[in-house]
Amino acid sequence: VDPGSIDDDTDRKKKNFRIPNKVINGRIIVSASQSDGGKMGVKDMQGNWLIMPKYYSMRYVDTNQSYIVSMPKPTDTKRLLHGVIDKNGSIIIPIKYSSLSPKGKNYIASEGDDPFNDDFTDEAMAAADDDLFDFLEDEEAEVIQNKMKWGLFSHTGSTLLPFSYDDLTTNSEVGILTLKQLNPTTKKMVSFLYDQSTKSMLSLAAYDEYKYDSILFKGKPKNYYSTSYPYFAEGLMNVAKAGKWGFIDKTGKKVMTFSVVFYSFSFPYFNEGLCPIQTRGKWGYIDKRGT
């Protein structure tokens, strides 16, 4: 394969690190020259196009031997839409989602414009005056999240979770996801724990969300909060009730009860069998037995 050229057309691009693409299964992701449109595709080691260059970006997904690709949104070219194609260029997941990322063999995706502009093209992002905290002062975080809906696809493109969730976050374990959905009756967000392996859903409606007051954020307005969500790690998840922390497993069974674990907020999840806790103004660690 003959050496190509690098087109540094903006100062911002000149500052980026150059990361060489790996050859995987005799294939390499390549950008066409600017004179040929500058789009991305896939070549073999003889220099032949296997997937023609027509994408804004491409990323190889090792577990599925497929590619996450993006193209500008037809109605708003400063934003990108994402999808998945197979090694032959056939579409697995349509290119119409504002975000798309692999989690295990499945794909997390979202619909709707990202309020934080993470779906902007590089050019649009460089031109944007994107001050996140100023943005949060104008709107509540839960209202912002409602502008996007999240769902889950299998590696074959079938829908595992419909696009009815207001937030979807990952945990340290690949198979466990945390979801949030607005309850239409109470108008409050309810969290769920989803196990991808068993396709089981556990409601966390019985537990509270723990919030930091704005006093911890210098310069932030009164009543500004940062929310700490439940996080699943090493088989246990932290949950809060009446301002106190406890731990449950993925079935919802209480592993450490709230009558025993009276600790104020720390980073309450386990790493290498230990969890940092704070009680009576002092810090220490507990193990999975609560000792």
Side-chain angles (χ1 to χ4, degrees):
V1 179
D2 291 333
S5 63
I6 296 175
D7 298 306
D8 282 324
D9 53 358
T10 69
D11 287 340
R12 183 172 182 270
K13 287 184 178 179
K14 290 176 183 177
K15 294 176 183 177
N16 285 349
F17 288 103
R18 309 245 179 259
I19 303 175
N21 286 332
K22 290 182 179 180
V23 177
I24 302 176
N25 297 327
R27 296 161 164 251
I28 188 169
I29 298 174
V30 180
S31 293
S33 64
Q34 291 298 320
S35 61
D36 288 331
K39 302 298 184 183
M40 301 187 78
V42 177
K43 279 189 174 185
D44 63 18
M45 288 299 95
Q46 287 71 47
N48 303 307
W49 287 108
L50 300 176
I51 299 176
M52 294 303 293
K54 60 179 180 180
Y55 301 105
Y56 182 89
S57 68
M58 294 188 75
R59 181 159 62 106
Y60 180 75
V61 182
D62 184 59
T63 54
N64 299 332
Q65 294 189 23
S66 54
Y67 300 90
I68 295 177
V69 296
S70 71
M71 301 181 76
K73 187 176 182 179
T75 57
D76 185 359
T77 56
K78 70 177 180 291
R79 294 185 183 274
L80 293 174
L81 296 177
H82 306 269
V84 177
I85 61 174
D86 66 16
K87 62 181 181 181
N88 299 315
S90 299
I91 292 177
I92 298 175
I93 297 175
I95 306 170
K96 65 175 190 177
Y97 299 97
S98 53
S99 71
L100 200 153
S101 60
K103 196 63 178 176
K105 285 186 173 294
N106 299 329
Y107 294 96
I108 297 168
S110 64
E111 291 180 327
D113 293 345
D114 191 318
F116 304 116
N117 301 335
D118 285 342
D119 57 349
F120 268 15
T121 64
D122 289 342
E123 296 78 9
M125 187 64 75
D129 181 17
D130 188 23
D131 188 334
L132 176 60
F133 282 113
D134 286 345
F135 190 85
L136 287 175
E137 288 177 7
D138 296 333
E139 300 191 48
E140 292 291 333
E142 289 184 350
V143 174
I144 290 173
Q145 290 176 348
N146 279 335
K147 293 182 178 179
M148 296 179 71
K149 295 295 182 181
W150 296 82
L152 185 70
F153 289 110
S154 73
H155 69 282
T156 61
S158 61
T159 301
L160 298 178
L161 290 174
F163 285 82
S164 60
Y165 296 94
D166 298 279
D167 193 24
L168 191 158
T169 54
T170 59
N171 295 273
S172 66
E173 295 194 18
V174 172
I176 304 296
L177 303 175
T178 304
L179 313 174
K180 294 189 74 175
Q181 190 173 46
L182 184 68
N183 185 312
T185 303
T186 63
K187 304 300 181 182
K188 293 183 178 180
M189 287 288 182
V190 179
S191 296
F192 300 86
L193 197 68
Y194 180 74
D195 187 342
Q196 295 189 67
S197 61
T198 61
K199 298 182 181 179
S200 59
M201 188 82 73
L202 174 68
S203 173
L204 303 177
Y207 303 109
D208 304 325
E209 290 182 355
Y210 205 94
K211 293 185 177 182
Y212 292 105
D213 202 325
S214 60
I215 193 172
L216 299 178
F217 294 87
K218 186 177 180 180
K220 293 297 104 186
K222 188 177 180 180
N223 297 324
Y224 176 88
Y225 295 98
S226 179
T227 304
S228 177
Y229 301 109
Y231 189 78
F232 191 89
E234 297 190 4
L236 298 177
M237 181 179 63
N238 58 295
V239 287
K241 196 171 185 66
K244 305 298 180 183
W245 286 108
F247 293 87
I248 61 175
D249 64 18
K250 65 181 181 180
T251 69
K253 178 183 177 182
K254 290 182 180 179
V255 177
M256 287 178 244
T257 63
F258 297 100
S259 61
V260 175
V261 187
F262 281 90
Y263 304 115
S264 55
F265 178 77
S266 60
F267 294 97
Y269 58 86
F270 282 90
N271 182 51
E272 297 190 10
L274 296 175
C275 176
I277 57 93
Q278 184 189 42
T279 179
R280 297 182 296 277
K282 302 294 183 181
W283 286 91
Y285 288 88
I286 55 173
D287 62 19
K288 291 185 178 180
R289 297 169 298 179
T291 303

